[in-house]
Amino acid sequence: MRATAGGPMNGHGRFASPAGDEDGRSTSTPAPASPRTSTPPPSPHPAHLGDLGFVGRTAELGALREALVAATTPAATATDQGAALVLSGQPGTGKSALLEAAVRAARTGGMRVLRCAGIRGSNPPDLSGLLQTVWPVLPDALDQADGLDPADAARPAGAADLADPADPATPHHPPAIDPPPRASSLDALVSVLVDGAPAPGTGHSWLAFAVLDVLTAVSRAGQPLLVAVDDWDALDAPSRQVLAFVARRAKGHPLALLMTSRPPHALPDPLTGVPTLSLGPLSPAESARLLASRRPGLDAQAVRELLATAAGNPLALLELPAPAEDSLPSLPASSDRLAAAMAPGAARLPAGTRDLLLVAALHPEGDLPLLLSAASRIGGTALDPAALEPAERAGLVFFDGMRPHFAHPATAGAVVHGTGPDRCRAAHAALAAVLPPGSVRTLWHLAQAAEGPDPELAARLEAVRGDALEQCPPTMAVRLLRRAADLHPHPADRGRCALRAAQLAQLLGLDRMTRTLAHHALRHPLGPLGTLCAQALAHPGTTGAQPPTHATGPGTGAVPDPTDPSSWPTPVGPAEQQNALELARITAPVAAGDEQRSKALLAFLDGMPDRADDPRLLYAMATVRPLGRAATVLAGVCADRDLGDVSVRDIERLGEAALLAGDPLRALDLWRRAERRRRFHALPAQLPWVLLRQGLAHLGMGNWAQGEHAFRRCAQSAEGTYGQDHHVAAARLLTDLVRGLRTGTPVGPAADRDLAAARRSVPSIDAVLAVGAAWTLAECGESAAAFPALSSLLTDPRTRAAALFAVVAFAEAAKAEQASREALATLDRLERELGARCPRVIGVRFTVARAVLADDDARTMFERAFAEDLSPWPYLEAPLRLAEGRWLRLRRQFADSQATLRQAAAGFTMLGAEARAPRIAAELRASGERAEGAAPGGFRPAAARDLLTARELRIAELAARGLSNREIGEQLGLASRTIGAYLYRIFPRLGVTSRAQLAEALRNPDTP
């Protein structure tokens, strides 16, 4: 009998493995004499894998659990037991973490575990992977071989020669219950693995059968066996082949073989025939949840940047450093662990290739010739496109024919991780030398290459911040100003640039960056208003005065309250005027709810008549006094200016001021310009905000079909994007509101959580929803409830501006409730508040509302209202014609009444106001109109088709099927307004008032 493995030498005279079995049993202690009887039975179900802190990997954990259960649960037939599974995925997707979870669960469930792991970037010796795997169980196999019966010993190991279709290169193992392997075979196996002796028989085929015999025999003799192989593709080639062979034959044994591997670079896949589970990236929501649970406390901008760089890679989400504003020179972030996972061989690439990857990481937009030119300047050696090939072979980049792209966004930081500052500055300087002079990117690279103060470069950085806002991601302009502050030698210039950067960061919603830059600015002289502005940015939400800092100028002492305009000093000089306008913009939303501070802010703004057309001043004025200063604001918005020279931010601000002042048409035009500019420069981050404002403008114009379309576009563009949930919440609430307005269905109260999120996107969302709910009551004919609700909203200062868009609906409800006198009194009060300079766009609404309310002088009022150019305001013309048609009917002028009512019906149809159809149909019936098809001797419904041209008939048929104007336009290649104009003519011609009636009017009478 051979000696056991308990001594320093085993029975073959070789040293036993110094490492213990993966299940905790040490090979330095004697093995039990009878493993079959002494080993406790395994748990029939391995530990649950679902509550281990994983995010977005529920399906993968379930698949691993099924594999373990298959190995531990006795099956009805021998071939049903056992399982093999490959976890395939890119670096950092969590393959090793999932494998480790499976190992822990297997140990808890009583399985024996064997481990093996490849090392990337190494050149392992042949069969080293197999030696890791089987060495801990060889003593047990030897013990079993010593106890073989003579009949079993006569069996030749691996003697079968049948071919396996799934693995044609390797013979098939005979499907029988395996007796323990012979001692001679084990001796040969040990010699092959340890001494490097040649394998007997058919080489790797014999070795594959020998390893399979050992693993299956050990698994049947004692505990079920889990073989866990991490980074299978990094093992030596013979080990990979043998383990793949075992994986294909794990079925039929109490054995589970789990392996992790990266996707193969070439076909055929060496793991063909082994069940494979691919690990993809986490979704944006799952990524955000992982960050929140594992890295709490990150601000919104840091989370956005991490999500963009990680692109759903769990390791990158956990390892990427949080962005820092002060890191110089700029270099993509990474960590040691991330670099080892994503770019293990980057350090061994040729020097020219490393230089090329460095400039590609610093300037990812560059095409290959430009990057080669820059990389050649770093090393002083001309490079050609062949320099990229080693990186392509390593899987770090791929080339699309124009520019190289990193395999993953985080790979850019991984390949340059550890690059020294001097080499990084040289790369920035090389890029600046080959990029167009004076461009934003050129100046950015020059700024990163600079080591000391450079006032000329700092001034150039300040000058291009507007271009950066138009052409680059929003944070680029902030970082340019931040770097300019570092390059200026004088404290006053440093403070000015830092303050400008903080103001821009606040506008972009970068809260942490805003506070950091504001505190940085407060360390330098700023001037009285500059100090107040920095105080407001550094301490948002505070109302008291902050301790004085480096304020300069007359009366310097205790710093006034940044949120109290009555304490602000008069701006002196252009710099202080800029600070005053920014301070007004920042504090206007806070002052809007305070009458005293609103008056003080207006008085302060009136003190800058030379800046009367500045978008910031107009926005602040419209925020605190949307009605009282409507004329001034709209005059400034419509001032003669070349919008091509106005920044997109100022265009958006002008649109906001126009809508607040009551001109949705002008606001819509400005926001459409802003959308085109952002799409042109491929800057989609602000598109949800712009689309949401477009929907609000359509809502104010009564064009509900277009409003609903804009809100849906907003939700689609913001869906799944981190940091845009408030836009999604607002868009959904407003979509529900528009649907209620169109159909006359009352809208239920919004959930507190959705409403809180929507307020971040639309601060006035409460007023909009309240006005919309009351307007919905008017649309569905509930005038008894609509009139008091709208009356209350029009008299409340907090909702008055929004309620003015529904003033005609208010007049209709008042007329229906015979409350014209009260309504006229309300209109008189509102007109007095607006004063003699009431803007025309608001005055037209009052004119139409008075015509709707008129009784004795109705003819005069209708003529006065129709004398206005109502073509831009179909939402005013349609109710006006409805009121006139009703008035004509009451005076028994039925023919004129029918024609006018049909025009009203067409107008409401074009606006998508479906709830109006029943009431207009009732008015038409009351005026004596009846369905032509039902009249005795009248024309048959098919005759309606003869009244329309081919184009009109096609549009009518599509509308009868329920398609919206936009959907019809998309099919026919026409604008939605053109479709509305067609329907405006079709409805009166067919004698219908709604789309629902079109189907009956166009129905073929021969069709049952």
Side-chain angles (χ1 to χ4, degrees), residues 6 23-24 58 60 80 118 121 215 318 334 346 356 371 517 562 595 615 622 641 650-651 691 713 752 824 899 941 961:
D23 60 359
T58 303
E60 291 82 357
D80 291 336
L215 296 179
L318 300 178
S334 191
L356 181 59
L371 297 177
L517 292 169
E595 182 67 20
R641 58 166 64 87
D650 282 341
I651 290 177
L691 294 172
R713 289 174 63 204
D752 293 340
L824 288 170
R961 286 163 47 190

Side-chain angles (χ1 to χ4, degrees), residues 433-458:
V434 299
L435 286 168
S439 68
V440 174
R441 291 293 182 181
T442 299
L443 294 174
W444 169 251
H445 290 300
L446 283 174
Q448 295 302 306
E451 295 190 60
D454 190 337
E456 181 182 354
L457 178 58

